[in-house]
Amino acid sequence: QQQVKQSPQSLIVQKGGISIINCAYENTAFDYFPWYQQFPGKGPALLIAIRPDVSEKKEGRFTISFNKSAKQFSLHIMDSQPGDSATYFCAASIAGANSKLTFGKGITLSVRP
Amino acid sequence: DVKVTQSSRYLVKRTGEKVFLECVQDMDHENMFWYRQDPGLGLRLIYFSYDVKMKEKGDIPEGYSVSREKKERFSLILESASTNQTSMYLCASTAAGGFDEQYFGPGTRLTVT
């Protein structure tokens, strides 16, 4: 049973456009929702994260929107740039669970110049 | 600058060989993780450790074992490598607490022939 599901599977966006990646989760005990970004040849790195006590968190061009009742959260990348081309993973964890993350399958974002 | 290092970037082994993948972190983190990354399957947790000599199975532990004799070092062992273990292996570490960033190493691309 896949506990964290990402959509779409891949995404192509024009430079300057908005990239939107969605994530749905099953386990209502999850209470930490990070997004990781991975460039080719590198390990994933934390991009932005949210706790369920807020509905939105913004850091620069990156925003997480969180909908607790729908058990969904999404990543919005405003003014997408070719340098944003990477693989994006959503994840979820439960406090006190030794920081163990459950990852989605990842999506590849390509931003066309 | 925080750092997670992995012993090899690329490794080629023969079927049936015993394989050791080493991971070292310099952040005094309690928790360490081994993942494998495969196209279309995302990041899957093999094993994790929350203290020296402590380990727990992740989602796909079959065919793998781990060792953590020192806090900074976490080893993944393939007792008898098989071709279906050809993959990218990623090590990560994080402080205890539940909401801290997982820091990833650059990965080891293992090919079993």
Side-chain angles (χ1 to χ4, degrees):
Chain A
Q1 180 188 10
Q2 188 185 351
Q3 292 202 57
V4 179
K5 293 183 180 179
Q6 283 186 242
S7 62
Q9 293 187 334
S10 63
L11 186 61
I12 300 173
V13 173
Q14 289 297 125
K15 179 181 175 181
I18 302 173
S19 303
I20 301 174
I21 306 168
N22 301 301
C23 225
Y25 62 95
E26 307 271 342
N27 190 343
T28 55
F30 286 144
D31 57 1
Y32 174 65
F33 303 91
W35 284 91
Y36 279 75
Q37 180 188 53
Q38 183 182 29
F39 294 107
K42 305 283 188 182
L46 180 66
L47 182 62
I48 187 171
I50 197 168
R51 298 283 311 279
D53 52 345
V54 296
S55 60
E56 187 174 282
K57 182 175 181 181
K58 184 175 181 179
E59 291 183 2
R61 296 184 294 110
F62 301 91
T63 300
I64 298 180
S65 298
F66 183 78
N67 186 331
K68 189 173 182 177
S69 60
K71 293 189 289 182
Q72 293 178 346
F73 58 109
S74 60
L75 176 69
H76 295 233
I77 306 174
M78 310 299 288
D79 187 27
S80 299
Q81 299 296 312
D84 297 329
S85 298
T87 299
Y88 292 82
F89 295 95
C90 63
S93 71
I94 302 170
N98 295 313
S99 305
K100 193 175 82 161
L101 288 170
T102 298
F103 284 90
K105 292 187 176 183
I107 81 111
T108 300
L109 169 66
S110 296
V111 181
R112 296 262 170 90
Chain B
D1 194 20
V2 297
K3 212 166 199 178
V4 178
T5 56
Q6 296 183 228
S7 50
S8 305
R9 292 300 303 270
Y10 300 94
L11 210 51
V12 179
K13 295 291 182 181
R14 294 188 180 274
T15 301
E17 278 193 85
K18 190 169 186 176
V19 182
F20 293 86
L21 302 182
E22 303 283 337
C23 175
V24 177
Q25 51 97 2
D26 65 359
M27 296 163 281
D28 200 35
H29 283 164
E30 290 78 12
N31 301 327
M32 296 187 75
F33 307 83
W34 275 107
Y35 298 90
R36 64 177 283 177
Q37 182 175 11
D38 300 287
L41 297 177
L43 295 167
R44 294 182 291 168
L45 182 64
I46 304 171
Y47 267 97
F48 69 100
S49 169
Y50 50 90
D51 202 350
V52 175
K53 297 190 186 293
M54 305 301 288
K55 61 185 179 185
E56 281 195 25
K57 293 180 181 179
D59 301 316
I60 51 164
E62 296 78 19
Y64 304 94
S65 62
V66 290
S67 172
R68 193 166 180 202
E69 297 296 319
K70 293 185 177 181
K71 190 176 185 180
E72 68 271 17
R73 189 179 297 269
F74 192 34
S75 302
L76 180 69
I77 304 154
L78 288 67
E79 294 290 341
S80 178
S82 63
T83 55
N84 63 12
Q85 292 178 311
T86 291
S87 185
M88 172 67 81
Y89 290 88
L90 289 159
C91 175
S93 73
T94 187
F99 304 117
D100 293 295
E101 175 177 359
Q102 281 197 16
Y103 292 89
F104 283 83
T108 296
R109 171 76 62 185
L110 173 67
T111 302
V112 183
T113 62

